Amino acid sequence: MQVAVVTFDGFNELDSFIASALINRCRNDDLEAFITTPTPTVTSMNGVQVTGQRPIGFAADADVVLIGSGIRTRDVVADDRLISMLPLDPARQSIGSQCSGALVLARLGLLAGIPTCTDRTSRPFVEARGLTVLDAPFHAEGNIATAGGCLASQYLATWVITRTLGEDAARAVLDYVAPGGENRETVDRALHAIHTGRPALR
């Protein structure tokens, strides 16, 4: 199972790297994520230059596609050439977005009638597209998921791992990366979020 973490110029490091790193802890179980870019290199919103692991065309063949956010997402949405490089198929692929990545899914027509999660900065632009934005970090319907807030990327990764390998695999990954002494809370919070759209309260 291959995951395309679509990463555009101006990307938010937390979105692309957290999701990719968590998913790649499942490489031994044949689930692997790749930073997928429209150009050979992209530069983050904080000036970190990254070489893409796969070209953007890989997204059409991947089993899972996650669209990260960034400071130039509205430019991406306005670029017909870039959008044409993402012929995604929700009947065959699991597709998720992080924060302003919801604008890309909306442009692709994948969020019609689906309540959406995004970050506070992106919210008015998402709502301007006629979408209902939830006050929640994560929401999924069928093969489409959206996450809002940088640290909600852990929920997007948990969703991917749970759907592809099962909840036990997700528990193992979350338990490993959890802050010391917060293992149970971290695991429970993430799994509760992907099942209900809200983290478990403690």
Side-chain angles (χ1 to χ4, degrees), residues 34-93:
F34 300 91
I35 299 296
T36 302
T37 57
T39 53
T41 62
V42 290
T43 302
S44 78
M45 60 192 297
N46 293 305
V48 178
Q49 191 172 74
V50 172
T51 299
Q53 297 173 291
R54 294 288 188 276
I56 198 165
F58 169 69
D61 299 320
D63 302 288
V64 180
V65 180
L66 302 181
I67 309 290
S69 76
I71 57 175
R72 297 179 184 164
T73 306
R74 281 183 286 157
D75 294 333
V76 170
V77 170
D79 189 327
D80 291 340
R81 182 186 62 86
L82 272 181
I83 292 298
S84 71
M85 294 179 180
L86 292 169
L88 305 186
D89 181 1
R92 174 179 68 78
Q93 299 171 299

Side-chain angles (χ1 to χ4, degrees), residues 122-139:
S122 302
R123 181 170 187 155
F125 302 104
V126 173
E127 289 178 330
R129 291 183 170 267
L131 299 174
T132 298
V133 175
L134 301 173
D135 289 318
F138 179 86
H139 180 74

